[in-house]
Amino acid sequence: EVQLVESGGGLVQPGASLKLSCVASGFTFSDYWMSWVRQTPGKTMEWIGDIKYDGSYTNYAPSLKNRFTISRDNAKSTLYLQMSNVRSEDTATYYCTTRTTSFDYWGQGVMVTVSS
Amino acid sequence: DIQMTQSPASLSASLGETVTIECLASEDIYSNLAWYQQKPGKSPQLLIYYANSLNDGVPSRFSGSGSGTQYSLKINSLQSEDVSIYFCQQNYDSPYTFGAGTKLELK
């Protein structure tokens, strides 16, 4: 059974940095592209970016490219999202997903609240 | 960016009814369209990919159709467990964009 478990969220102050993790199991992690998608409290969905199965290529939403970085550690079956200089509009639930033709499997999500 | 316009924003239907949700892309996305179901308090789940391919384990009362810029999700014989928010999403071109969602409730 595919499982994706995100962690690392919480309350963070504007301008701070935060790193989210997603531990994968139930499939060969190193064979799959992976993605991060976020959902605002108002339920708006936004794709953040993708990373190739070997970590050699990343693709980001242009509006987030300068502040967010996706990486992975295939030995640990773990996906990461480094967020820097966070803003109130980054308040959302963050999901990691497998990525083939669509966002196939989703984690349970982790909440990030940006507030002073 | 490709804009995805989803309608209606909300929908109320009775058990056993057939409902249809529409999604309009701002340009041709060549059937690179997925539908997701998000049950209350849960993460989204893939229902349909490539506009009309049913994901594994999805009941056959769900179906997708469309081409070009116009797509739809049809739910036959509505069940109580179908109460959810439904999202369309284009996989044709980055950034990969979502519709605003349709909240389906029981009448």
Side-chain angles (χ1 to χ4, degrees):
Chain A
E1 179 194 3
V2 172
Q3 282 204 315
L4 299 168
V5 180
E6 301 95 337
S7 62
L11 177 63
V12 60
Q13 292 199 333
S17 295
L18 191 66
K19 190 170 187 176
L20 306 182
S21 300
C22 169
V23 177
S25 61
F27 66 104
T28 305
F29 181 72
S30 57
D31 285 349
Y32 283 81
W33 287 64
M34 297 291 294
S35 301
W36 287 97
V37 177
R38 68 183 182 181
Q39 185 173 35
T40 67
K43 302 300 184 185
T44 299
M45 301 287 288
E46 182 178 20
W47 169 74
I48 295 170
D50 298 335
I51 186 167
K52 193 176 178 180
Y53 48 81
D54 61 358
S56 64
Y57 174 78
T58 52
N59 184 27
Y60 297 95
S63 61
L64 300 174
K65 184 175 183 176
N66 293 333
R67 298 189 298 119
F68 287 16
T69 302
I70 299 173
S71 61
R72 64 193 296 161
D73 185 337
N74 285 346
K76 296 181 178 179
S77 295
T78 302
L79 178 72
Y80 301 101
L81 178 65
Q82 177 72 53
M83 305 166 61
S84 63
N85 190 23
V86 296
R87 307 164 180 169
S88 59
E89 54 264 38
D90 295 323
T91 294
T93 298
Y94 287 74
Y95 296 99
C96 71
T97 81
T98 60
R99 180 80 166 126
T100 57
T101 56
S102 310
F103 303 113
D104 315 285
Y105 293 95
W106 297 61
Q108 88 285 353
V110 61
M111 284 196 63
V112 173
T113 302
V114 181
S115 176
S116 55
Chain B
D1 298 4
I2 297 175
Q3 307 302 314
M4 305 300 292
T5 303
Q6 193 174 336
S7 60
S10 63
L11 183 55
S12 182
S14 302
L15 291 174
E17 242 185 272
T18 295
V19 300
T20 300
I21 298 168
E22 308 280 346
C23 193
L24 178 68
S26 60
E27 62 183 81
D28 196 330
I29 57 172
Y30 300 95
S31 297
N32 288 280
L33 190 284
W35 291 97
Y36 302 88
Q37 177 190 51
Q38 186 175 32
K39 295 185 178 183
K42 301 293 187 183
S43 53
Q45 290 191 300
L46 177 65
L47 287 177
I48 287 169
Y49 58 97
Y50 277 147
N52 59 15
S53 296
L54 208 62
N55 195 25
D56 290 344
V58 175
S60 59
R61 64 179 180 275
F62 291 89
S63 63
S65 63
S67 62
T69 62
Q70 296 186 291
Y71 299 88
S72 61
L73 172 70
K74 186 176 175 182
I75 310 172
N76 288 316
S77 187
L78 190 69
Q79 305 293 304
S80 58
E81 59 264 33
D82 299 336
V83 169
S84 300
I85 301 175
Y86 293 86
F87 296 93
C88 63
Q89 179 254 328
Q90 65 84 14
N91 287 290
Y92 176 66
D93 193 24
S94 172
Y96 305 107
T97 45
F98 290 80
T102 294
K103 188 173 184 180
L104 176 58
E105 298 174 321
L106 285 179
K107 195 179 290 183

